[in-house]
């Protein structure tokens, strides 16, 4: 299995392959990361790993899922591992996603505006906090279509599941947003690759971080699609019985501050 050592960017969020991640980078440890990425060949990928932070008192005494505050130093002076406990790898989920920073723009105040895209799932093997920012040794996790026998049956099973998930997602979207059927995304606008469908739905559905993390680290596409189908049906049934819900924009990506 191929391994690599890459900069590590912990977030209280899950990044999926193919999805866009906007970042507002202001802490010095992450500014240092962006400066190093900018120093690499402009024509090559500027890669770092996004990993979700586990909930827990050690990593988040002040806010669930976020690093603790360090009273002795302002955010700009925090060490790479501050807020993540004595052994940082224990505070992160072990499966993350490589991000390729297509845009890194430095602002006048020294912070950075970053636009990255998820590319490949990876498993964390180790985390190093000895440098100016966290780095991790990671191994790539290939995307397996599913567990059925034979390549054709794999494709057929994942394809059928993807169609069911898209139908369930449209119904979920309609209930959540209060939209009319014709105002929803049509099948022609959605991907037909089952793995892409599984990542898109996982990212767009309104789910908590542990659930999204479980979908990211699913052993294969078919398993992820099956779980999404069950989740969408459950969530749609719950929404149907609620008296009212505010409109939700499922196409707007949040900007994650570090």
């Amino acid at each position: 299995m191929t391994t690599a050592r890459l900069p590590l960017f912990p977030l209280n969020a899950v990044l999926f392959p193919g999805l866009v991640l906007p970042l507002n980078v202001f802490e010095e440890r992450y500014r240092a990361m962006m400066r190093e990425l900018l120093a690499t060949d402009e024509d090559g990928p500027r890669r770092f790993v996004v990993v979700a932070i586990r909930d827990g008192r050690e990593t988040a005494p002040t806010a669930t899922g976020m690093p603790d505050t360090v009273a002795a130093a302002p955010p700009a002076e925090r060490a790479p591992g501050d807020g993540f406990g004595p052994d940082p790898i224990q505070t992160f989920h072990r499966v993350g996603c490589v991000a390729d920073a297509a845009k890194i723009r430095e602002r006048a105040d020294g912070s950075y505006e970053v636009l990255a895209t998820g590319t490949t799932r990876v498993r964390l093997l180790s985390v190093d906090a000895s440098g100016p920012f966290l780095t991790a040794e990671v191994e790539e996790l290939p995307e397996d279509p599913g567990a059925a026998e034979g390549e054709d049956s794999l494709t057929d099973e994942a394809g059928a599941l993807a169609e069911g998930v898209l139908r369930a997602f449209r119904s979920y979207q309609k209930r959540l947003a209060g939209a009319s059927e014709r105002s929803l995304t049509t099948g022609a606008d959605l991907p037909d690759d089952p793995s892409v469908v599984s990542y898109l739905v996982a990212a767009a559905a309104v789910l908590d971080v542990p659930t999204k993390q479980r979908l990211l680290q699913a052993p294969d596409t078919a398993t992820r699609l099956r779980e999404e189908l069950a989740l969408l049906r459950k969530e749609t049934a719950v929404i149907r019985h609620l008296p009212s819900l505010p409109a939700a924009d499922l196409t707007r990506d949040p900007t994650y501050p570090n």
Side-chain angles (χ1 to χ4, degrees), residues 4-11 15 19-25 30 33-34 36-38 40 45-51 96-104 113-122 124 133-136 138 256 258:
R5 181 161 294 278
L6 295 171
L8 185 65
F9 205 123
L11 285 176
L15 177 63
L19 276 297
V20 174
L21 176 71
L23 290 168
N24 175 28
V25 178
Y30 302 115
M33 181 188 300
M34 295 305 137
E36 178 158 310
L37 290 176
L38 282 172
T40 61
R46 290 170 170 168
R47 302 190 303 159
F48 58 97
V49 176
V50 171
V51 65
C97 184
V98 174
D100 184 3
K103 173 184 177 183
I104 305 177
E113 178 184 344
V114 180
L115 194 64
T117 302
T119 61
T120 308
R121 295 187 309 154
V122 291
L124 269 64
F133 49 83
L134 293 174
T135 60
V138 297
Y256 296 98
N258 63 265

Side-chain angles (χ1 to χ4, degrees), residues 48-133:
F48 58 97
V49 176
V50 171
V51 65
I53 304 166
R54 292 181 185 274
D55 292 341
R57 189 178 186 282
E58 181 180 40
T59 62
T62 57
T64 301
M66 294 299 289
D68 61 311
T69 55
V70 179
E77 299 177 14
R78 298 176 75 176
D82 280 356
F84 300 126
D87 185 10
I89 194 171
Q90 301 301 326
T91 71
F92 307 137
H93 287 283
R94 296 301 177 92
V95 175
C97 184
V98 174
D100 184 3
K103 173 184 177 183
I104 305 177
R105 185 176 70 85
E106 185 174 7
R107 301 190 182 100
D109 63 359
S111 65
Y112 289 87
E113 178 184 344
V114 180
L115 194 64
T117 302
T119 61
T120 308
R121 295 187 309 154
V122 291
R123 186 186 309 279
L124 269 64
L125 302 177
S126 65
V127 173
D128 183 4
S130 63
F133 49 83

Side-chain angles (χ1 to χ4, degrees), residues 33-254:
M33 181 188 300
M34 295 305 137
R35 287 194 293 269
E36 178 158 310
L37 290 176
L38 282 172
T40 61
D41 186 353
E42 187 175 356
D43 296 328
R46 290 170 170 168
R47 302 190 303 159
F48 58 97
V49 176
V50 171
V51 65
I53 304 166
R54 292 181 185 274
D55 292 341
R57 189 178 186 282
E58 181 180 40
T59 62
T62 57
T64 301
M66 294 299 289
D68 61 311
T69 55
V70 179
E77 299 177 14
R78 298 176 75 176
D82 280 356
F84 300 126
D87 185 10
I89 194 171
Q90 301 301 326
T91 71
F92 307 137
H93 287 283
R94 296 301 177 92
V95 175
C97 184
V98 174
D100 184 3
K103 173 184 177 183
I104 305 177
R105 185 176 70 85
E106 185 174 7
R107 301 190 182 100
D109 63 359
S111 65
Y112 289 87
E113 178 184 344
V114 180
L115 194 64
T117 302
T119 61
T120 308
R121 295 187 309 154
V122 291
R123 186 186 309 279
L124 269 64
L125 302 177
S126 65
V127 173
D128 183 4
S130 63
F133 49 83
L134 293 174
T135 60
E137 184 181 4
V138 297
E139 64 177 4
E140 182 176 343
L141 289 179
E143 182 69 18
D144 186 355
E149 293 294 332
E151 185 175 345
D152 290 341
S153 58
L154 286 175
T155 303
D156 292 344
E157 180 187 18
L161 283 166
E163 290 177 4
V165 166
L166 287 176
R167 286 194 298 270
F169 182 67
R170 291 193 189 94
S171 177
Y172 165 81
Q173 214 180 10
K174 180 180 178 181
R175 290 286 180 181
L176 188 63
S180 64
E181 187 68 36
R182 61 179 171 273
S183 71
L184 299 176
T185 304
T186 64
D189 298 319
L190 290 169
D192 55 10
D193 182 291
S195 64
V196 175
V197 169
S198 74
Y199 290 138
L200 176 63
V201 170
V206 182
L207 302 168
D208 60 20
V209 169
T211 302
K212 285 181 178 281
Q213 180 66 36
R214 193 167 68 246
L215 293 173
L216 177 69
Q217 62 192 42
D220 52 66
T221 300
T223 299
R224 186 180 303 109
L225 289 167
R226 286 191 204 97
E227 183 164 357
E228 287 171 349
L229 191 56
L231 284 167
L232 290 170
R233 287 171 174 170
K234 178 182 177 182
E235 293 297 314
T236 302
V238 169
I239 295 168
R240 187 182 298 120
H241 291 91
L242 294 178
S244 63
L245 273 176
D249 184 352
L250 298 182
T251 64
R252 183 177 301 165
D253 292 319

